[in-house]
Amino acid sequence: MTGCVTCLTRACDGKEGKRLVSILEVSDLAVEFNTIEGVVHAVNGVSFSLDSRETLGIVGESGSGKSVSMMSLLRLIPEPPGRIRSGSAWFDSSKGRVDLLSLSKTKRAAVRGRDIGFVFQDPMSSLNPLMTVGEQIAESMRLHLELGDREARTRTVELLDRVGIPAAAERYGNYPHQFSGGMRQRVMIAIAIACGPKLLIADEPTTALDVTVQAQILDLVKSLRDELGLAVIWISHDLGVVAGLADRVIVMYGGLVAECASVDELYEQPRHPYTEGLLEALPRVDQDRGEELRSIEGTPPDLYTAPGACPFAPRCSYTFDRCRREVPPRYVVNNGHDTACFYDLAERRPRSE
Amino acid sequence: MTSEQPQPASGPDLSPSADPLLEDERGRVRRALSYGAKLLLRDKGGMIGLSLFMVVVFAAIFAPYIALHNPLQQDLTRSRQPPAWRDGGSWEYPLGTDSLGRDMFSRIVYGSRVSLTVGFLGVAIALSIGLVLGLVAGFAGGRVDNVIMGGANLFLAVPYLLIVVVVAAVVGRSLVNVVLIFGITDAPLFVRITRGEVLRIRNSGYVESAVAIGAGRARILFDHILPNLVGPLITVATFEMSAMIFYEAGLGFLGLSVPPTIPSWGNMLAAGRQYLASTPWVATYPGFAIIFTALGMNLFGDWLRDVLDPRLRRKGR
Amino acid sequence: MQRYLLSRAVQSVLLLLGVIVLVFFLVRLTGDPARLMAPREASAQDIAELRALMGYDRPLPVQFADFFSGAIRGDFGNSVHYRAPAMALVVTRLPATVELALSALLFAVLVGVPLGVIGGSNPGSIWDSLARGVGLIGQTVPNFWIALIFILVFSVNLGWLPSFGRGHWNSIVLPAVSLGLFPLGQIVRLMRSAVLEIRGEDYIRTAYSKGINDRRIYVAHVFRNAAIPLVSMLGVQFGYLLGGSIYIETIFAWPGLGRMIAESVAARDFPLVQAVAVFTSLVVVAMNLLTDVAYALIDPRIRYDK
């Protein structure tokens, strides 16, 4: 066995040269959903840590548990049917270090929006259609920063301007339907950073947008991150997007962390067959023209059964007996790099314990 | 204006299946059925509703065997007998007798025949007319669409009961007339639903791609539109059947439904109304039969809607 | 918004013209209204005289032109039964019906909205069960039957409330509650499902992610969005109330339009029937137009749509 979770998260601590002060320490997070067809085991024991000012990319396909795990940090999944089965998430809030998962309702609300900003996937449905965008931004500032109406309004216009909405003052009183998708996502970002949070969690914020708009939003988040000193968790199914943004990447599969490494190392030396497959499926500039892109065969895992084996085993070309019997622990590859695989990709043979 | 962006499904992304729009229609129906069977056993409401409704259907079919007396047989010596559990009642007439000495229980049992006939046939006619006109309007578009929808909206603008009452007064009391009145006046609702679904489905991605690969109109109709119409139409039909049973009783109450010689719940209510204070059971017990039937159909209809409407189901709660 | 409302207004006028045509032909469904109007013992000659008197012997296009030109001026001829202008009779009956319908609607809204909202906000709770129960009762209990039960219980047995007429302040209680029962059920069901659905919307999740507390989430985000379907339902329900008043006004001897419909239909007083039908439709269409205005005021997506 691998031993304690803390050692694991240590193993996956940030890049060299950065201060190793983690502002978020998640261990053994497990989330399930009770549906009429049965229990969906969406997240099955996820651990990771995040340093201040660090950008962490979380990559995985639909159903890998990446969004659910991040949303459950702020308890934003519907409960019921959702249920957080286990785990802790220690976070440096403005009111001291707290476990996000065991906070009272009131204290949780004080962290949401104040210390952690959230940007969601679909800007078309994530804004209240009956409230002006200005109101929706000002709302949380009046609450958390106790600003008066006029101050909140002034600051909102500044924010709208900062996220790149032209004629911000006039746009304050507009409704969401008067904005394009990209503009709405800018508004969402303004909402997320309004109260000066430490951490910004972005849940596939560019997936629903045009490619050109995607790049603009990406640039906006980068510049805001550097300017405001934000830590960012960027959830994506697109390794390409994450490569240009993140310091460190977590690859998730079947509700588990498959691999965790610094972004360069992950792309250079993937140590999990799934990561390897993902990278081979990615088009590269330096690729020979004739070479075909590969895809990963098989279908995503069945989440109705609790994992008792490596969830990737059915699709993996390196699978051997052990993969179907046990859930692989996260093996440390080197400082800041670990992989949940019984097969040693570097040595091209099963690991010996 | 907003730019047209793809709008992926929101919420926690849990579904391991592929894009639902690409799913095969037949697979969808099969899944709905197995899901429905599971739900029917789990959801008490649907099961209770179905049972209540089956009791009424059973009573209507086997009325001659269930009834204790001839529902038309008058016996003035036994008029206005109270129900069995009241003073002066007897189990020979478990629910008492009306002012002409006819057995209430037998009349209520036979009354189910009128109600169910009107409900079934009325909805069948309304559904047939509505389906055909709705498909024509949805497919033809343009002027044909305008004419059909103009007519439908006209009927929907006038209070429904008003039309029914006026027509019933003009055409006279008979079972056939009542069925026809409901069948025709309720058709506009089905026209609107059918047309709406046709337009919605025609504009959906999977039909556009089917057209792109060269599927003809007939193919679109039978493979895509009709299977999708089944759910909404059956659900609405259930509620409309219950509504028609209401309206038939109401017409009877106003003396405009089937001839007074036929035992129907509405006629019984109307006849009992004038003796409400002295013999309350005559006017009130047929009401329980109406409520019993309506409860069954509504519980079942609610359940049907949950199972058959995939849009509601996908909202998932 | 102006263009939207203008087009709705034009549609409403067209609809009313259509209703006039519809009403003209409905009465002539059997071909000979005079035969229906005449007493059963009337001779063929009596019927012919009546036919001539009512103008039913003229060619159909002439009758139609005459009826149509009269109807758009509000002239439907004289009531056969009251021997007075039909439209004038209708107008005198209007206040009683409006009073009854609005009271019923008020009852339904005041009870239904809070109950539906509380039920939808606490799914699975006892309030939710109550809301579902009331919704089901509204749909399954006929108003003409519950009216009889109310009379039996509150007038005959307890003697608390009057069972007929419009004389006393409390005369309206039983008719309004009986008539309001169906809309009550509809409103409870609608509000419950609207709140349930809105709770799951992405923008509510956004609001939670901002740290807004439950109370403000409901007041500022959920309720306003739930008000949209409510408004459009109120418009529909008003038409239902006018229809349902046919039973309720008959049972409680309430001197309104509904009772007039029942009476004029029973007496085959066709000029009066036509006047009531067109006028009632006018009220319904006007209410729907008002609903559209209210809708546009609540929903910016309509208000600002070019």
Side-chain angles (χ1 to χ4, degrees), chain B residues 163-173 177-178 181 251 256-257, chain C residues 265 268:
Chain B
I163 302 185
V164 171
V165 164
V166 172
V167 177
V170 171
V171 297
R173 302 179 77 164
N177 281 351
V178 172
I181 290 170
L251 273 191
L256 293 171
S257 184
Chain C
V265 160
R268 309 290 191 265

CSV table of all heavy atoms in Angstrom, one decimal, chain B residues 163-173 177-178 181 251 256-257, chain C residues 265 268:
chain,number,residue,atom,x,y,z
B,163,ILE,N,-68.7,27.2,-25.3
B,163,ILE,CA,-68.9,26.5,-26.6
B,163,ILE,C,-69.7,25.2,-26.4
B,163,ILE,O,-70.7,25.0,-27.1
B,163,ILE,CB,-67.6,26.1,-27.3
B,163,ILE,CG1,-66.7,27.4,-27.5
B,163,ILE,CG2,-67.8,25.4,-28.6
B,163,ILE,CD1,-65.4,27.1,-28.3
B,164,VAL,N,-69.2,24.4,-25.5
B,164,VAL,CA,-69.8,23.1,-25.3
B,164,VAL,C,-71.3,23.3,-24.9
B,164,VAL,O,-72.2,22.6,-25.5
B,164,VAL,CB,-69.1,22.4,-24.2
B,164,VAL,CG1,-69.8,21.1,-23.8
B,164,VAL,CG2,-67.7,22.0,-24.6
B,165,VAL,N,-71.6,24.2,-24.0
B,165,VAL,CA,-73.0,24.4,-23.6
B,165,VAL,C,-73.9,24.9,-24.7
B,165,VAL,O,-75.0,24.4,-24.9
B,165,VAL,CB,-73.0,25.4,-22.4
B,165,VAL,CG1,-74.4,25.9,-22.2
B,165,VAL,CG2,-72.5,24.8,-21.1
B,166,VAL,N,-73.3,25.8,-25.5
B,166,VAL,CA,-74.2,26.4,-26.6
B,166,VAL,C,-74.4,25.3,-27.6
B,166,VAL,O,-75.6,25.0,-28.1
B,166,VAL,CB,-73.4,27.6,-27.3
B,166,VAL,CG1,-74.2,28.0,-28.5
B,166,VAL,CG2,-73.4,28.7,-26.3
B,167,VAL,N,-73.3,24.6,-28.0
B,167,VAL,CA,-73.5,23.5,-29.0
B,167,VAL,C,-74.5,22.4,-28.5
B,167,VAL,O,-75.4,22.0,-29.2
B,167,VAL,CB,-72.2,22.9,-29.4
B,167,VAL,CG1,-72.4,21.8,-30.4
B,167,VAL,CG2,-71.3,24.0,-30.0
B,168,ALA,N,-74.3,22.0,-27.3
B,168,ALA,CA,-75.2,21.0,-26.7
B,168,ALA,C,-76.6,21.4,-26.7
B,168,ALA,O,-77.5,20.6,-27.0
B,168,ALA,CB,-74.7,20.7,-25.3
B,169,ALA,N,-76.8,22.7,-26.5
B,169,ALA,CA,-78.2,23.2,-26.5
B,169,ALA,C,-78.8,23.2,-27.9
B,169,ALA,O,-80.0,22.9,-28.1
B,169,ALA,CB,-78.3,24.6,-25.9
B,170,VAL,N,-77.9,23.5,-28.9
B,170,VAL,CA,-78.4,23.5,-30.2
B,170,VAL,C,-78.7,22.1,-30.8
B,170,VAL,O,-79.7,21.9,-31.4
B,170,VAL,CB,-77.4,24.3,-31.1
B,170,VAL,CG1,-77.8,24.2,-32.6
B,170,VAL,CG2,-77.4,25.8,-30.7
B,171,VAL,N,-77.7,21.2,-30.6
B,171,VAL,CA,-77.9,19.9,-31.2
B,171,VAL,C,-78.7,18.9,-30.5
B,171,VAL,O,-79.2,17.9,-31.1
B,171,VAL,CB,-76.5,19.3,-31.5
B,171,VAL,CG1,-75.7,20.1,-32.5
B,171,VAL,CG2,-75.8,19.0,-30.2
B,172,GLY,N,-79.0,19.1,-29.2
B,172,GLY,CA,-79.9,18.3,-28.5
B,172,GLY,C,-79.2,17.1,-27.8
B,172,GLY,O,-78.0,16.8,-28.0
B,173,ARG,N,-80.0,16.5,-26.9
B,173,ARG,CA,-79.4,15.5,-26.0
B,173,ARG,C,-79.3,14.1,-26.6
B,173,ARG,O,-80.3,13.5,-26.8
B,173,ARG,CB,-80.2,15.4,-24.7
B,173,ARG,CG,-80.4,16.8,-24.0
B,173,ARG,CD,-81.2,16.6,-22.7
B,173,ARG,NE,-80.5,16.0,-21.6
B,173,ARG,CZ,-80.9,16.1,-20.4
B,173,ARG,NH1,-82.1,16.7,-20.1
B,173,ARG,NH2,-80.2,15.5,-19.4
B,177,ASN,N,-74.2,12.8,-29.8
B,177,ASN,CA,-73.9,14.3,-29.9
B,177,ASN,C,-72.9,14.7,-28.9
B,177,ASN,O,-72.0,15.5,-29.2
B,177,ASN,CB,-75.2,15.1,-29.6
B,177,ASN,CG,-76.1,15.1,-30.9
B,177,ASN,OD1,-75.6,14.7,-31.9
B,177,ASN,ND2,-77.3,15.6,-30.7
B,178,VAL,N,-73.0,14.2,-27.6
B,178,VAL,CA,-72.1,14.5,-26.6
B,178,VAL,C,-70.7,14.1,-27.0
B,178,VAL,O,-69.7,14.9,-26.9
B,178,VAL,CB,-72.5,13.9,-25.2
B,178,VAL,CG1,-71.4,14.1,-24.2
B,178,VAL,CG2,-73.8,14.5,-24.8
B,181,ILE,N,-69.5,16.4,-29.7
B,181,ILE,CA,-69.2,17.8,-29.2
B,181,ILE,C,-67.8,17.8,-28.6
B,181,ILE,O,-66.9,18.6,-28.9
B,181,ILE,CB,-70.2,18.2,-28.2
B,181,ILE,CG1,-71.6,18.5,-28.9
B,181,ILE,CG2,-69.8,19.5,-27.5
B,181,ILE,CD1,-72.7,18.7,-27.9
B,251,LEU,N,-72.3,19.0,-17.9
B,251,LEU,CA,-73.3,19.1,-18.9
B,251,LEU,C,-74.6,18.4,-18.4
B,251,LEU,O,-75.7,19.0,-18.5
B,251,LEU,CB,-73.0,18.5,-20.2
B,251,LEU,CG,-72.2,19.4,-21.2
B,251,LEU,CD1,-72.2,18.6,-22.6
B,251,LEU,CD2,-72.9,20.7,-21.4
B,256,LEU,N,-78.0,19.1,-20.1
B,256,LEU,CA,-77.6,19.2,-21.5
B,256,LEU,C,-76.9,18.0,-22.1
B,256,LEU,O,-76.5,18.0,-23.2
B,256,LEU,CB,-76.8,20.4,-21.8
B,256,LEU,CG,-77.5,21.8,-21.5
B,256,LEU,CD1,-76.5,22.9,-21.6
B,256,LEU,CD2,-78.6,22.0,-22.6
B,257,SER,N,-76.7,17.0,-21.2
B,257,SER,CA,-75.9,15.8,-21.7
B,257,SER,C,-76.9,14.7,-22.2
B,257,SER,O,-77.9,15.1,-22.8
B,257,SER,CB,-75.0,15.3,-20.6
B,257,SER,OG,-74.2,14.3,-21.0
C,265,VAL,N,-79.6,29.6,-22.6
C,265,VAL,CA,-79.4,28.3,-23.3
C,265,VAL,C,-80.6,27.4,-23.1
C,265,VAL,O,-81.2,26.9,-24.1
C,265,VAL,CB,-78.1,27.6,-22.9
C,265,VAL,CG1,-78.2,26.1,-23.3
C,265,VAL,CG2,-76.9,28.3,-23.6
C,268,ARG,N,-83.5,28.7,-25.0
C,268,ARG,CA,-83.1,28.8,-26.5
C,268,ARG,C,-83.3,30.3,-26.9
C,268,ARG,O,-83.8,30.5,-28.0
C,268,ARG,CB,-84.0,27.9,-27.3
C,268,ARG,CG,-84.1,26.5,-26.9
C,268,ARG,CD,-82.8,25.8,-27.2
C,268,ARG,NE,-82.9,24.3,-27.1
C,268,ARG,CZ,-82.6,23.6,-26.0
C,268,ARG,NH1,-82.2,24.3,-24.9
C,268,ARG,NH2,-82.7,22.3,-25.9
